[in-house]
Amino acid sequence: MKKAKDILNTTNLTRLVIALAVLLSLVAIFLVATKRTPAQLRAARLNECKSVVMVTSGDTLSKLLLEQGLSHNDVNAVAQVLKANADITTLRADRDKLEFVRENTDAPVSKIVVIPSPWRQVELTCNDAGAWDCKTVDIERDTRAVYKSGEILDGDSFYLAGQRAGIPAGILVDVYDLLAFEMDFERDVRAGQKFTVLYEENFSEGEKIDNGRVLAVSFEALRGNVQMYRFRKSDGTTGYYDAAGNGAIKSLKRTPINNAKITSNFSRNRKHPVLGYTRAHKGVDFRASTGTPIPAAGAGRVVARSYNRGHGNFVKIRHNGSYETLYAHMSKFAKGVNVGTTVRQGQTIGYVGSTGYSTGPHLHYEIIKDGVHVNPMTVKLPAISNLGKEDKKKFIEYRKVLDEGIKQLEKNPSMYIQL
């Protein structure tokens, strides 16, 4: 072994420096060859090849991934990661999309993006060890409050007037559902009545993606102006309230089936169309075609599901200690609806038919209060919940700000409120 002083002589030092210089040059050349600059990375992303596949009937995750050239091992790994990290176990036809990213057209898939909604996507990439990593990305929404107003013309329905006012179909359905707690659309809609709707539109990168929620609605009904405002309470829950902060959503709906025409009103003295003699008509009849879904007018528990000669197939729901509703002449019952079943408001419990004493397909709808039949169109229905003292104070302040915004939009209907 040489001594240290011999190793560090001039000749050896020169050789060592030259060797180090050569080694550093080789490392630099390697790094330049393998490491891409930010400009090169941007160029590579621009040259990426992306393909989007809409899931159709019969498609499975395995089928779509294999078609893109992934191995069976990768398919199993991707499926496990999606289940564990994104709670995705199946793909939905005509709803979900998959995006496949390659560095170029001939390269293997380097990134998979599962898009279950416009506002959420799951990105999967394969790391250096060959394992698939997964992350969920929430898409930021640009939400705007949009104002529309309309007027009922002679011969109009509310739906037609709403369409003419430029209100999207889905928003109209939501508004109809809200107003149905207070209004009879068959008798309360008249020419000359005006209505306004404030609702959300959601944008992403300047492009409208979908509509959001109804924020406020006003309708000049026969029994007075109906107003509803959407408000988030201090506990995080939301609801609709009138101008004074009282609950606007009632525990029962007056008209279970949207846009159904009333063919027979509640009456203590009506000549029965089948039996031929006069007796009380303890409900309201709504004309609808056979097979039309019948939603529960309110949340409750099924206490009867049976058949009798008068009602045909019928369902009876108890909603609380005071109220029950009955739905008669069904063509069939909804699957899973049995005595003892708990149902939510709007859940389908059966389908319109003409069973029992009936001259044609329709829904016979009854409300029973404390054991006595009442007129569904006029009975005062209880609200689900009112605001507490502190929440009501905040609501009033919020409502004033919203009303001021609505006034500005009335003057400039093409504008919107940035939320």
Side-chain angles (χ1 to χ4, degrees), residues 74 77-78 81 109-111 124-134:
D74 279 333
V78 168
V81 169
V109 172
S110 57
K111 183 178 180 181
L124 300 109
T125 53
C126 192
N127 61 31
D128 295 337
W132 286 89
D133 296 323
C134 169

Side-chain angles (χ1 to χ4, degrees), residues 293-352:
I294 301 171
R301 182 171 59 87
V302 177
V303 294
R305 173 191 179 276
S306 188
Y307 176 91
N308 64 34
R309 287 189 301 171
H311 287 144
N313 293 322
F314 73 95
V315 168
K316 190 176 187 180
I317 300 174
R318 180 167 296 139
H319 302 280
N320 56 25
S322 298
Y323 288 89
E324 294 177 320
T325 54
L326 184 142
Y327 315 76
H329 306 307
M330 295 179 174
S331 59
K332 61 180 181 179
F333 304 109
K335 186 178 180 180
V337 174
N338 301 295
V339 173
T341 300
T342 299
V343 296
R344 64 184 183 278
Q345 190 171 60
Q347 179 178 336
T348 297
I349 57 172
Y351 302 88
V352 170

Side-chain angles (χ1 to χ4, degrees), residues 137-308:
V137 179
D138 292 323
I139 309 301
E140 186 176 356
R141 302 186 190 207
D142 170 13
T143 302
R144 309 169 184 182
V146 178
Y147 172 86
K148 301 288 184 182
S149 64
E151 182 178 348
I152 306 296
L153 301 182
D154 190 32
D156 258 350
S157 67
F158 169 68
Y159 192 82
L160 286 175
Q163 281 186 317
R164 190 172 57 251
I167 303 173
I171 295 295
L172 276 175
V173 171
D174 291 342
V175 171
Y176 194 105
D177 282 340
L178 289 172
L179 294 177
F181 287 97
E182 285 291 346
M183 292 175 51
D184 167 9
F185 277 89
E186 177 66 22
R187 298 191 303 174
D188 285 355
V189 175
R190 295 288 187 275
Q193 293 171 325
K194 296 179 181 180
F195 56 89
T196 66
V197 180
L198 187 73
Y199 65 93
E200 297 173 334
E201 288 184 343
N202 295 313
F203 288 73
S204 178
E205 297 181 351
E207 178 184 355
K208 181 182 174 182
I209 304 299
D210 58 17
N211 297 307
R213 299 156 298 194
V214 175
L215 300 177
V217 59
S218 173
F219 192 99
E220 295 177 353
L222 294 180
R223 283 172 276 180
N225 191 26
V226 177
Q227 290 180 293
M228 297 183 182
Y229 300 84
R230 189 176 191 276
F231 177 71
R232 182 183 297 275
K233 297 193 293 184
S234 55
D235 63 3
T237 60
T238 58
Y240 288 88
Y241 303 88
D242 65 19
N246 300 314
I249 302 300
K250 308 305 179 184
S251 57
L252 297 175
K253 292 179 68 173
R254 298 185 188 279
T255 55
I257 300 178
N258 289 348
N259 296 315
K261 183 179 178 61
I262 293 177
T263 55
S264 184
N265 286 299
F266 181 90
S267 174
R268 300 291 181 188
N269 193 20
R270 182 194 74 151
K271 183 176 181 180
H272 196 281
V274 175
L275 300 177
Y277 56 81
T278 298
R279 69 174 189 177
H281 187 239
K282 298 180 179 181
V284 176
D285 292 346
F286 297 91
R287 184 170 62 201
S289 58
T290 299
T292 300
I294 301 171
R301 182 171 59 87
V302 177
V303 294
R305 173 191 179 276
S306 188
Y307 176 91
N308 64 34

Side-chain angles (χ1 to χ4, degrees), residues 34-49:
T34 57
K35 184 178 180 180
R36 292 184 288 185
T37 65
Q40 289 173 322
L41 289 172
R42 286 193 295 270
R45 284 195 293 269
L46 289 174
N47 292 328
E48 281 180 344
C49 177

